[in-house]
Amino acid sequence: MLYLIGLGLSYKSDITVRGLEAIKKCNRVYLEHYTSILMAATQEELEEFYGKSIVLADRELVESGCEDILRDADKEDVAFLVVGDPFGATTHTDLVLRAKKQGIPVDVIHNASIMNAVGSCGLQLYNFGQTVSMVFFTDSWRPDSWYDKIWENRKIGLHTLVLLDIKVKEQSLENMARGRLIYEPPRYMSISQCCEQLLEIEENRGTKAYTPDTPAVAISRLGSAQQAFKSGTIAELANYDSGEPLHSLVILGRQCHELELEYLMEFADDKQKLRQDVIKDQEYFKPAPWVPTEEDDN
């Protein structure tokens, strides 16, 4: 059996009882280690808590060497641990498909993830549209495919969850070209860097999917004892010190309910300014009034 087990957001004890029971009977345990991190637990603490050794699974192992993970999983129990929920990343779907093609039984044990815990900021989950990922820009690579998804969400009034990039066990271009297995220190995108990149692409595109005055809410260390929220415009949050990782950002849609706004105001430096910013933003994508045509008259 291959078990895909969600670990939750932060603590070693966030795992479900069923997930813990499954780990304890597994012969091998892998921890996916590139889409997110467990903020309040080290590998050693997890191993002590589970009573099992853990193999850290980087992107290369999961995407290219997954046969090692699936080896003998038709004869013994293997656990693949994922911070958050197992299906928070598409690579995990691929792992399940590969297992099924090999006739390996799969059991998925779910847990909390940023995709549902984001509701802690006060925005209602059914008012969210497409989720996008913001990667670190480089001098030669500044992707903006996510921009159109934000524009689509905003046009129909929905909020956009922006997941911020993390870099774990990444090589520099020079080391990669020279074949040197030297890895860069881990990097985690901050709220300010995300907002700066948002503003840069909007300036380049110029179609106003959002503006510097568009309201947003910064989410930091969600699920931990140090979780924090900050409401403001994208321009204001570009100067916000969000502290230690991990971080996410939500760009508001124009259909911001009064209860949502009331909740967000608790995280604003200037509550009345936030209210006015939201009202102004709601007008921007407001549908044009219906005007009857000759066809309607007929």
Side-chain angles (χ1 to χ4, degrees):
M1 176 78 76
L2 173 66
Y3 289 96
L4 264 71
I5 303 173
L7 299 185
L9 292 168
S10 189
Y11 300 95
K12 62 185 181 183
S13 54
D14 283 346
I15 190 170
T16 64
V17 173
R18 190 162 76 91
L20 183 58
E21 290 174 345
I23 289 176
K24 289 185 177 296
K25 66 179 183 179
C26 285
N27 297 79
R28 301 196 315 278
V29 179
Y30 296 89
L31 172 60
E32 190 263 83
H33 193 58
Y34 64 92
T35 61
S36 190
I37 59 169
L38 207 59
M39 291 177 286
T42 65
Q43 178 183 350
E44 292 74 21
E45 289 170 335
L46 292 178
E47 289 178 329
E48 181 179 359
F49 187 65
Y50 301 151
K52 295 282 184 177
S53 296
I54 294 175
V55 177
L56 293 182
D58 58 18
R59 184 185 297 273
E60 183 179 0
L61 175 59
V62 177
E63 296 184 351
S64 303
C66 64
E67 293 307 314
D68 287 340
I69 298 174
L70 298 177
R71 174 176 43 86
D72 296 330
D74 56 337
K75 306 181 187 69
E76 60 186 22
D77 292 324
V78 177
F80 184 76
L81 313 182
V82 181
V83 175
D85 185 81
F87 288 131
T90 55
T91 51
H92 308 146
T93 305
D94 181 64
L95 183 63
V96 171
L97 290 174
R98 289 173 182 266
K100 290 184 175 181
K101 287 178 181 178
Q102 297 181 34
I104 298 170
V106 177
D107 189 7
V108 179
I109 302 175
H110 295 282
N111 209 320
S113 76
I114 182 64
M115 302 296 286
N116 63 317
V118 66
S120 294
C121 74
L123 297 176
Q124 298 165 3
L125 293 179
Y126 48 76
N127 285 338
F128 278 77
Q130 303 169 88
T131 297
V132 303
S133 296
M134 178 66 70
V135 301
F136 284 107
F137 285 178
T138 68
D139 292 339
S140 59
W141 190 57
R142 310 176 94 75
D144 63 357
S145 58
W146 43 264
Y147 180 93
D148 295 321
K149 294 182 179 180
I150 296 176
W151 189 91
E152 289 168 1
N153 288 344
R154 295 262 296 158
K155 191 173 182 181
I156 58 177
L158 300 179
H159 311 311
T160 304
L161 172 61
V162 184
L163 303 177
L164 276 56
D165 200 7
I166 74 171
K167 296 291 187 186
V168 178
K169 201 179 179 183
E170 297 277 343
Q171 292 176 274
S172 68
L173 292 177
E174 180 182 356
N175 286 329
M176 188 180 300
R178 294 177 180 273
R180 298 185 298 207
L181 294 178
I182 300 173
Y183 299 101
E184 300 294 295
R187 290 192 297 151
Y188 307 94
M189 184 179 287
S190 66
I191 294 295
S192 60
Q193 184 169 3
C194 174
C195 290
E196 287 169 2
Q197 294 185 181
L198 282 167
L199 294 174
E200 176 185 327
I201 297 303
E202 175 52 55
E203 184 175 354
N204 293 341
R205 288 289 196 98
T207 50
K208 295 187 177 180
Y210 50 85
T211 73
D213 296 327
T214 295
V217 54
I219 304 171
S220 300
R221 299 167 296 280
L222 184 60
S224 76
Q226 293 77 38
Q227 73 176 20
F229 305 95
K230 174 64 71 175
S231 300
T233 65
I234 294 176
E236 290 168 347
L237 293 177
N239 296 304
Y240 170 55
D241 182 0
S242 50
E244 295 295 312
L246 296 168
H247 307 292
S248 301
L249 181 79
V250 180
I251 300 172
L252 268 63
R254 62 171 170 78
Q255 297 186 56
C256 184
H257 191 275
E258 182 63 30
L259 285 177
E260 292 179 300
L261 178 55
E262 183 179 347
Y263 209 107
L264 290 176
M265 287 171 63
E266 296 300 311
F267 311 132
D269 291 331
D270 187 332
K271 297 181 180 181
Q272 291 310 310
K273 181 180 182 301
L274 177 67
R275 176 179 288 278
Q276 293 306 312
D277 288 335
V278 169
I279 292 172
K280 178 182 176 182
D281 187 69
Q282 288 177 339
E283 290 296 319
Y284 181 73
F285 274 118
K286 192 173 182 179
W290 175 71
V291 177
T293 64
E294 292 182 2
E295 293 181 0
D296 295 321
D297 293 336
N298 294 332

